[in-house]
Amino acid sequence: MTNTPGTDGGDALVSAFNAAGADYLFCSSGSEWAPVWEALARRHRDGAPAPRYLDLTHETVAVGMATGYGLVKRRPQGVLLHAAPGLLQGSMAVHGALLAGVPMVVASSESTTYGDAPGHDPGGQWYRNLSIVGGPHGVAQPFTKWSTEAASVHTLPTMVTRAAELAWRAPAGPAYLNIPLEILLEEWDGREAKPVVAPGSTHSSPEEVDPVAQLIREAVNPVIVTETAGREAGGFEALVAFAEAWNIPVVEPDSAVCGNFPRTHPLHAGSDIGPWMDTADLILLVNCRAPFYPPSRRPSKAKIVVIDEVPQRPHVVYQVLFADTYLEGNTANTLRQLTKRARDLDETAVAERRAAQHTRYSEETGALARAEVKACEEPGRTGVDPVLVAATLRKLLDGRNGIVVDETITHSRVVKRHLRTADPDSYFYVQGGLGQGLAVALGVKLAAQERPVVLTIGDGAFTYNPVIPSYDASKAYDLPLLVVVFNNRVYKSMNLNHRRFYPDGAAAETGEWLGTDLHRLPRLADFAEPFGMHTETVDTANDLAPALQRALKAVSEGTTAVVDVLVTR
């Protein structure tokens, strides 16, 4: 440890994030962060190490970018918000990071003296407006993994270490620190935190793995169901090897939130677990927090093996797995151990399920092809079939190693099904509430600057986003995106629920559908023009591919492009 007296809590915090291995501090500015800004200026002047500081103009952008970055890099970053109000403004995105399993250390502040103590005056705003009873750490507790107050400058560095270590360990997620302004202004004795190292891993023992391997060996009609295997380091590749070794089909249900298995692989069995509910004799739930809906929908005869480092998610209010066996510990390692045990198989049973899966896969690829042919019909009509949008994107991204961030709702199945992503870290679905997609995509781009990043988003979701602050961040930090808006000019999911709950109600009788109409909005590409971004508005199928080609070219040249596509449904 080094000892550099004469600095304050701002430098203690920067030093701690440096030791935690944070590449970035994602900050939505607040008056409490002047000590951090001074510490950074001092380090920049002196050539001392520090995380890169990103000055962002909205809390959702700050947290969302940290989420996107963490999805790819899987290491905790620092997020600085303003007091309790900034924390509340960013809370949806913090909750999204919790659901996405992304590690980060979020900090904001309060005052503890309100100007009544000698020394630095924190300012009257804390007394009048900014403080909250119980402190912001009480506010953060329900939507973070861990939340507390850093009560002394002398423990601040190691509190950041503890927060980062807790955030990083399974189940990964955001930790929160309330750091009072007076602590940041207090003189620091220079005692730095020890650098944070990556978590160790836990493994299922051979005594636990061997019986599961025997269950698989004896199964006639097994199936793998996964939601987030691909979120683990090496999980995508390990799942492919496991499925291939045992010849087991893989279902990615609609609740899957990242790419877990190549959708072009012959063992990919679509998104519907339904066909296996009465026929499977073994269901392997691999990182699958909510496989059955409704939760009481139980398979009729299958034994259920749960493979997950943390199968019982602490932040999930209600969770039903019907497990017969748990294999806990690092998921990729467990899959690799099971792969090694793929021997002495019943070749007759394997051949039968291989043939059945070949039929399923052929039917699915045929259905995809037919849907895409149908989507090309009537190319001159107003509006573009969403299937054609997704299929055209797939063709244009082929060979480019692209990443798709998805914030569609009614079109999410179409996007997943027709993009057919096939590589690790190539697809992420935004979690925790609409309005984060632009920021998450920017964070993904920050982590993978050599790869094209595409955001697919509905017009309703687009209007929830902090668009201006997101475009500002894109331009300020040279993070070009391709934004493709599926614009049906309606909150479709809301309208569908109204019709589902009240099929013969007053709204159906009169045509008064409230809470759904978006026709009054201008075309959404227009919002990017003041930032000098490339914009396209597409109303017909004939115009789609050329517009997307021009947009991708603009992105490759360093400019965010927004393509507003009027879709038919």
Side-chain angles (χ1 to χ4, degrees):
M1 293 185 182
T2 60
N3 193 323
T4 312
T7 54
D8 61 18
D11 204 65
L13 188 61
V14 173
S15 170
F17 274 119
N18 211 46
D23 302 314
Y24 290 93
L25 295 178
F26 299 86
C27 183
S28 178
S29 297
S31 55
E32 68 265 49
W33 299 122
V36 170
W37 299 332
E38 181 62 21
L40 288 168
R42 186 186 305 117
R43 285 172 177 254
H44 295 159
R45 180 198 65 193
D46 298 341
R52 186 181 175 193
Y53 177 86
L54 298 185
D55 202 356
L56 305 164
T57 54
H58 196 282
E59 292 84 355
T60 298
V61 177
V63 182
M65 286 186 65
T67 298
Y69 190 84
L71 285 169
V72 177
K73 294 296 187 181
R74 301 178 174 90
R75 301 194 309 271
Q77 304 300 309
V79 179
L80 307 180
L81 306 177
H82 178 41
L87 175 64
L88 288 167
Q89 180 81 355
S91 60
M92 180 185 68
V94 178
H95 181 243
L98 181 69
L99 296 181
V102 173
M104 62 180 68
V105 178
V106 181
S108 69
S109 194
E110 65 178 356
S111 175
T112 55
T113 64
Y114 306 104
D116 275 344
H120 295 287
D121 178 8
Q125 72 273 21
W126 297 98
Y127 180 51
R128 301 185 188 100
N129 298 319
L130 295 180
S131 294
I132 191 166
V133 174
H137 48 292
V139 172
Q141 190 274 329
F143 53 82
T144 56
K145 184 179 174 183
W146 180 78
S147 175
T148 194
E149 177 183 3
S152 167
V153 72
H154 305 296
T155 59
L156 176 58
T158 45
M159 285 293 271
V160 173
T161 295
R162 175 162 165 73
E165 289 180 334
L166 281 165
W168 207 350
R169 277 154 178 80
Y176 172 80
L177 280 178
N178 167 26
I179 308 173
L181 176 56
E182 288 83 353
I183 300 300
L184 291 169
L185 292 167
E186 189 176 343
E187 185 175 324
W188 175 47
D189 60 13
R191 286 181 291 177
E192 295 182 336
K194 186 179 185 297
V196 173
V197 296
S201 61
T202 58
H203 295 168
S204 293
S205 68
E207 291 78 12
E208 295 169 309
V209 175
D210 285 339
V212 171
Q214 187 60 28
L215 283 174
I216 302 173
R217 196 170 290 115
E218 295 170 354
V220 174
N221 191 26
V223 65
I224 298 164
V225 185
T226 182
E227 292 175 331
T228 61
R231 201 162 61 193
E232 310 296 326
F236 188 101
E237 298 88 341
L239 182 59
V240 172
F242 170 61
E244 289 179 343
W246 291 92
N247 268 283
I248 304 176
V250 178
V251 172
E252 287 186 286
D254 290 332
S255 52
V257 294
C258 61
N260 303 290
F261 195 82
R263 286 186 170 260
T264 55
H265 196 290
L267 285 173
H268 196 286
S271 62
D272 185 10
I273 193 177
W276 279 272
M277 293 298 286
D278 294 324
T279 61
D281 54 357
L282 180 65
I283 296 177
L284 300 145
L285 300 179
V286 181
N287 275 30
C288 202
R289 61 186 175 178
F292 311 117
Y293 190 83
S296 58
R297 184 191 182 202
R298 185 171 190 160
S300 61
K301 63 180 182 180
K303 286 188 176 296
I304 296 176
V305 176
V306 174
I307 300 172
D308 200 321
E309 190 163 11
V310 187
Q312 297 295 337
R313 299 288 200 275
H315 60 268
V316 175
V317 176
Y318 184 59
Q319 186 182 22
V320 181
L321 298 174
F322 297 123
D324 293 292
T325 302
Y326 287 106
L327 283 182
E328 299 183 39
N330 181 270
T331 299
N333 180 269
T334 301
L335 294 173
R336 286 191 285 266
Q337 294 306 311
L338 287 168
T339 300
K340 292 177 181 177
R341 289 162 169 78
R343 54 182 178 268
D344 302 325
L345 307 185
D346 183 337
E347 293 301 331
T348 300
V350 168
E352 288 178 356
R353 68 172 176 260
R354 186 187 295 125
Q357 175 55 25
H358 175 75
T359 298
R360 280 189 293 267
Y361 184 75
S362 297
E363 289 174 350
E364 170 66 2
T365 53
L368 287 171
R370 289 190 296 274
E372 292 178 11
V373 169
K374 183 179 179 182
C376 294
E377 295 174 355
E378 301 181 56
R381 69 173 173 172
T382 300
V384 183
D385 192 310
V387 167
L388 183 60
V389 181
T392 304
L393 270 175
R394 182 191 72 237
K395 294 169 185 175
L396 292 176
L397 289 174
D398 185 39
R400 293 175 182 254
N401 194 25
I403 305 175
V404 176
V405 177
D406 187 18
E407 199 178 26
T408 60
I409 297 295
T410 54
H411 299 116
S412 61
R413 292 180 185 178
V414 167
V415 170
K416 287 180 187 177
R417 193 174 179 219
H418 290 274
L419 277 176
R420 306 194 78 201
T421 52
D423 300 308
D425 292 340
S426 58
Y427 173 85
F428 299 104
Y429 190 78
V430 177
Q431 296 183 75
L434 296 176
Q436 307 170 64
L438 281 166
V440 172
L442 287 168
V444 168
K445 181 64 178 179
L446 184 67
Q449 297 189 36
E450 73 287 356
R451 299 174 67 181
V453 175
V454 180
L455 172 66
T456 53
I457 187 170
D459 52 327
F462 182 91
T463 59
Y464 285 138
N465 274 258
V467 174
I468 291 173
S470 298
Y471 287 167
D472 171 65
S474 172
K475 191 163 186 179
Y477 297 108
D478 193 21
L479 300 171
L481 304 174
L482 171 57
V483 180
V484 180
V485 183
F486 287 66
N487 191 344
N488 55 15
R489 314 200 80 177
V490 66
Y491 284 122
K492 190 72 172 181
S493 63
M494 302 175 192
N495 184 254
L496 289 173
N497 272 339
H498 192 159
R499 292 173 184 270
R500 180 163 63 94
F501 296 143
Y502 302 97
D504 301 313
E509 179 184 345
T510 65
E512 185 182 11
W513 301 107
L514 300 176
T516 64
D517 184 29
L518 293 176
H519 280 83
R520 65 183 182 271
L521 294 177
R523 293 303 293 267
L524 300 178
D526 295 347
F527 292 97
E529 290 181 357
F531 292 88
M533 295 173 174
H534 183 92
T535 63
E536 299 272 358
T537 298
V538 175
D539 288 341
T540 68
N542 284 333
D543 295 332
L544 177 66
L548 288 174
Q549 287 171 336
R550 291 190 295 267
L552 273 171
K553 183 174 184 292
V555 171
S556 69
E557 294 170 352
T559 301
T560 284
V562 183
V563 183
D564 178 358
V565 184
L566 183 67
V567 293
T568 54
R569 62 181 190 273

